[in-house]
């Protein structure tokens, strides 16, 4: 079942395109990465999902309900943290849980306290005295406390130290394992690559690609170091490897093809040592962020 | 659900509202005592001046009595610019918080991602705003009553008629609040929303004065909402100014409804 279903969604701000004909589905229990450089249309898409913006054309649904017309009803099952979080200066954890609990119709105190312990946030500290990181923690607690079916997180780790980032990621993983869906927006691949099952990449308001991370990894190039025992063999005629110095005894090269093909090429060759690096997703993503990328 | 929103609004506005309430209370108490005690000696001679008479007539909404007695003094304390300024400032600052103020400072994102409709949000804010207005006017009434207790019996006001003025004043407060909600719904910056509502209130206030001096201004005087708030006339007559109050309530209701429609239909962008 799709938790988020976006069909040919467009949003214009006068002449400027916010999002153009975006089509996207997110299944239940997925941690979905929503990537793109600044100004790609991520925040516009999220604001449409949350019913803050009305689409110019096309539509977006969450749990089968229209995001614009059914927004208040949907928000019972959605938790959200904006990219540029602003909170009331008088708010502290107690007050936040009291107000959110009254609006949502159930007591959130215990869940809020648990999350505050996890994120190490003081309950009585008002926002006006909080650091940026602490404000972010309070925003996260507000988004997570009611255990929503869908979590929409717009750059949620902003201001958090690495330990807190890791705790948050572990928590999100455990939520996803329980069937909650996480829609994680970021402009940084590093933030999502160990967390997300699937990613969509936006550029200039348009979807560039939407696929699983496993499939992206398979496409990504790898750095390979081959140390030869004797004279190096000729560079393969196919596009399998790009070798900087073919005459050297140690090749520092780029694997353009698949690992089994490389192993096939190396069989019977005088290899002294072989090191194959991790898939270089950054380079692949930079390619998608720039011109010339293909749609799925 | 609305309880949570009301709680949030109370957390936000209790301190400034308390200051407004205390200020209205103190001003009315002082006005009630000072105007009545020193009217004959200080203000009385000024009433011989035609220009001053016209200004006060513009404020009070009726011809001044030959004898500047308790009714005129009671009426003056309810149209004193300081009192009107306090009531309107509270209405404007309160009503421009939502949605313009919330959008301006970016807090609306968290607010509207609670399971609450924009209509409910506006309604809950209005509920608190109207309560604040009622308490402020009641505080003014109480202040006036206390100030009046220090006067000799023959100088004391008619409190039954004064209650009618207070209700009329509340209708005026609702009009200003309704207009403020409308300018707030139309703007993304609170400063602009306040400027827009002041651009409506100020000309209305000035027009009410000009009607005393210009026939042209008098012909369009009905456009000023101050035309529908005439405390001295209320004190001089026996009934309720039903027509005036209905005009003010219609203006308040229409503005509020327009604000609700605009707010429900508008995009909430990042600022």
């Amino acid at each position: 079942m799709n938790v988020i279903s976006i069909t040919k969604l467009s949003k214009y701000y006068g002449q400027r395109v916010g999002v153009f004909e975006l089509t996207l589905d997110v299944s239940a229990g997925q941690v979905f990465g929503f990537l793109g450089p600044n100004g790609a249309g991520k925040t516009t898409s999220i604001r449409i999902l949350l019913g803050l913006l009305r689409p110019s054309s096309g539509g977006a649904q969450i749990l089968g309900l229209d995001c614009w017309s059914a927004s208040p009803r949907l928000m019972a099952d959605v938790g959200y943290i904006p990219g540029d979080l602003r909170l009331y200066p008088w708010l502290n954890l107690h007050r936040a849980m009291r107000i959110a609990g009254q609006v949502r119709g159930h007591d959130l105190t215990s869940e809020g306290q648990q999350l505050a312990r996890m994120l190490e946030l003081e309950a009585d500290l008002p926002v006006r005295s909080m650091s940026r990181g602490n404000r972010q923690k309070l925003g996260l607690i507000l988004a997570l406390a009611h255990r929503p079916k869908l979590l929409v997180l717009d750059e949620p780790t902003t201001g958090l130290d690495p330990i807190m980032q890791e705790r948050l990621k572990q928590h999100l993983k455990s939520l996803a394992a329980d069937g909650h869906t996480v829609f994680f927006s970021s402009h940084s691949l590093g933030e999502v690559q160990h967390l997300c099952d699937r990613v969509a990449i936006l550029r200039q308001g348009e979807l560039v690609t939407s696929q699983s991370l496993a499939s992206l990894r398979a496409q990504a190039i790898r750095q390979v170091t081959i140390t030869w025992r004797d004279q190096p063999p000729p560079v393969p005629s196919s596009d399998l490897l790009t070798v900087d110095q073919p005459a050297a005894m140690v090749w520092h090269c780029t694997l353009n093809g698949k690992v089994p093909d490389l192993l096939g090429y190396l069989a019977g060759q005088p290899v002294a040592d072989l090191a194959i690096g991790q898939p270089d997703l950054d380079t692949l993503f930079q390619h998608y962020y720039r011109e010339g990328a293909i749609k799925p | 659900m609305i309880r949570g929103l009301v709680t949030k609004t109370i957390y936000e506005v209790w301190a400034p509202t308390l200051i407004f309430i205390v200020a209205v209370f103190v001003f009315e108490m002082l006005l009630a005592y000072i105007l009545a005690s020193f009217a004959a000696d200080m203000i009385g001679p000024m009433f011989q001046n035609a220009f001053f008479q016209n200004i006060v007539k513009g404020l009070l909404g009726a011809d001044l009595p030959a004898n500047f007695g308790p009714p005129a003094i009671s009426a003056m304390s309810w149209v004193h610019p300081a009192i009107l300024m306090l009531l309107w400032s509270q209405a404007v600052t309160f009503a421009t918080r939502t949605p313009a103020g919330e959008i301006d400072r970016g807090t609306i994102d968290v607010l509207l991602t609670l399971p609450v409709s924009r209509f409910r949000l506006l309604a809950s804010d209005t509920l608190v705003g109207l309560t604040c207005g009622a308490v402020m006017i009641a505080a003014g009434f109480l202040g006036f009553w206390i100030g009046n207790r220090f006067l000799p019996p023959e100088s004391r006001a008619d409190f039954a008629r004064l209650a009618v003025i207070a209700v009329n004043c509340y209708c005026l407060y609702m009009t200003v609040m309704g207009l403020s909600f409308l300018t707030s719904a139309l703007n993304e910056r609170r400063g602009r929303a306040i400027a827009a509502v002041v651009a409506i209130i100020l000309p209305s206030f000035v027009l009410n004065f000009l009607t005393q001096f210009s026939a042209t201004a008098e012909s369009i005087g009905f456009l000023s909402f101050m035309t529908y708030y005439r405390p001295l006339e209320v004190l001089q007559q026996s009934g309720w100014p039903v027509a005036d109050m209905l005009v003010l309530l219609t203006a308040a209701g229409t503005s509020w409804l327009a604000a609700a429609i605009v707010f429900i239909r508008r995009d909430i962008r990042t600022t």
Side-chain angles (χ1 to χ4, degrees), chain A residues 76 97-109 111 145-147, chain B residues 115:
Chain A
M97 289 303 105
R98 184 177 169 200
I99 292 166
Q102 284 175 351
V103 174
R104 293 191 180 278
H106 51 264
D107 187 17
L108 299 175
T109 315
E111 192 69 27
H146 58 291
R147 296 185 67 79

Side-chain angles (χ1 to χ4, degrees), chain B residues 49-128:
Chain B
N49 180 301
F51 181 76
F52 186 76
Q53 273 187 3
N54 278 332
I55 287 183
V56 177
K57 188 182 162 192
L59 272 172
L60 296 175
D63 283 325
L64 294 172
N67 176 22
F68 188 73
I73 291 164
S74 309
M76 272 201 77
S77 67
W78 284 94
V79 289
H80 194 281
I83 295 297
L84 292 179
M85 190 66 77
L86 284 169
L87 290 171
W88 294 350
S89 299
Q90 194 277 338
V92 171
T93 51
F94 183 94
T96 51
R97 285 169 38 263
T98 308
E102 297 275 3
I103 297 172
D104 200 359
R105 61 183 173 181
T107 46
I108 197 143
D109 282 14
V110 172
L111 194 58
L112 284 183
T113 45
L114 291 170
V116 61
S117 69
R118 296 183 189 186
F119 183 85
R120 262 179 194 270
L121 179 62
L122 198 67
S124 70
D125 245 32
T126 307
L127 191 70
V128 179

Side-chain angles (χ1 to χ4, degrees), chain A residues 225-228 232 243 245 247-253:
Chain A
T225 306
I226 307 168
T227 309
W228 302 108
V243 185
Q245 290 178 300
M249 289 299 286
V250 178
W251 281 6
H252 296 287
C253 46

Side-chain angles (χ1 to χ4, degrees), chain A residues 232-244:
Chain A
V235 176
S237 54
S238 66
D239 201 20
L240 182 65
L241 285 174
T242 306
V243 185
D244 293 340

Side-chain angles (χ1 to χ4, degrees), chain B residues 30-49:
Chain B
L30 293 174
L31 283 171
Y33 182 74
I34 292 169
L35 283 177
S37 303
F38 303 103
D41 302 332
M42 290 173 67
I43 306 171
M46 291 166 75
F47 273 76
Q48 305 309 313
N49 180 301

Side-chain angles (χ1 to χ4, degrees), chain A residues 106-121:
Chain A
H106 51 264
D107 187 17
L108 299 175
T109 315
S110 146
E111 192 69 27
Q113 280 170 348
Q114 272 183 35
L115 288 164
R117 271 196 295 276
M118 179 186 87
L119 294 170
E120 296 177 12
L121 178 71

